[in-house]
Amino acid sequence: MQLPPLLALAAALLPAAHTARAQTSGGSNVTCTYAFWEFNALDESPCFVWGQLQSQCLTGGLTVTPLLNARYYSPPSLSGQVNDCNCNVVSYNLMAACSWCQPNIFTNNWVTENQWKQGCTNYDASGISGVTLSGISIPAWAYLPDNGASWDPDTAEAAFNATLSSSGSSSTHSSTAAGTGSTPASGGSTSGAGSSPSSPAS
Ligand SMILES: *[C@@H]1O[C@H](CO)[C@@H](O)[C@H](O)[C@H]1NC(C)=O
Ligand SMILES: *[C@@H]1O[C@H](CO)[C@@H](O)[C@H](O)[C@H]1NC(C)=O
């Protein structure tokens, strides 16, 4: 028995559409105005890379949208995205870096790593696992451990600077200690109402 022409066409198109989406969906419409060292080898912002990363766990992809002044991106447990894409140090670092590059954002405008990982059943504090990363260019500084503390822009920038001066290796992985980390002002974490980190792309 033959499929009606329209169904046959749909059946032929679906696999291709799924394959394409896995590679290209997701990103960000944030405009970074600061900290351009955070951009990856493809000149993509940390917001864009974070959107790509999160999209690996979401049908239809995700666009990271700008923070409003004095707000912060919600941890996975509050954004409803407890998954392998978000429950890791790379996602945490990209989230904080994405915050840092936006106007009027300060170091208390992102939660600590300990707050970020609350509610995660499996949290990878030293890398990322269980996620397909092909097509995503993640900068080396995004792998730096935070040991539960708040992401420190100076530590990350110093690691980035070090990769510039070391020739020959494009994947230098610095393990500079984060020190004690800074303590966020209470304003950043007392309210449960972080801004929504993202909205699904249509
Ligand atoms: C970014 O995208 C969101 C959702 O699609 C939209 O509401 C918002 O206006 C966009 N912001 C900018 C700066 O383009
Ligand atoms: C990284 O290098 C830039 C350019 O030389 C410099 O302005 C900045 O202070 C350096 N940052 C750190 C944290 O070392």
Side-chain angles (χ1 to χ4, degrees):
M1 166 176 176
Q2 259 187 319
L3 287 171
L6 271 179
L7 280 182
L9 181 65
L13 287 178
L14 270 175
H18 278 263
T19 303
R21 188 176 63 200
Q23 291 302 317
T24 61
S25 75
S28 172
N29 65 0
V30 171
T31 299
C32 287
T33 58
Y34 180 70
F36 297 110
W37 59 265
E38 295 177 341
F39 282 53
N40 68 9
L42 302 176
D43 206 25
E44 295 163 339
S45 78
C47 305
F48 189 88
V49 177
W50 186 38
Q52 285 185 310
L53 176 54
Q54 292 180 91
S55 294
Q56 297 303 304
C57 294
L58 297 170
T59 301
L62 177 150
T63 299
V64 171
T65 58
L67 276 179
L68 301 176
N69 289 356
R71 304 298 294 274
Y72 56 92
Y73 292 114
S74 297
S77 58
L78 294 181
S79 64
Q81 289 181 55
V82 173
N83 55 41
D84 285 342
C85 293
N86 259 326
C87 289
N88 60 77
V89 66
V90 173
S91 181
Y92 171 72
N93 287 340
L94 289 170
M95 175 281 298
C98 172
S99 307
W100 180 236
C101 79
Q102 299 180 45
N104 303 312
I105 294 298
F106 305 94
T107 53
N108 64 339
N109 283 122
W110 54 87
V111 300
T112 66
E113 188 189 29
N114 276 339
Q115 291 170 319
W116 182 258
K117 72 183 177 191
Q118 269 178 23
C120 287
T121 42
N122 295 305
Y123 187 84
D124 191 336
S126 61
I128 183 167
S129 38
V131 182
T132 302
L133 298 177
S134 68
I136 304 179
S137 171
I138 298 176
W141 56 259
Y143 286 87
L144 288 178
D146 300 288
N147 303 312
S150 186
W151 181 74
D152 177 32
D154 285 340
T155 302
E157 188 183 11
F160 169 77
N161 283 356
T163 64
L164 287 185
S165 51
S166 70
S167 60
S169 170
S170 61
S171 60
T172 304
H173 188 114
S174 167
S175 58
T176 311
T180 54
S182 58
T183 304
S186 57
S189 56
T190 48
S191 164
S195 67
S196 173
S198 52
S199 61
S202 50

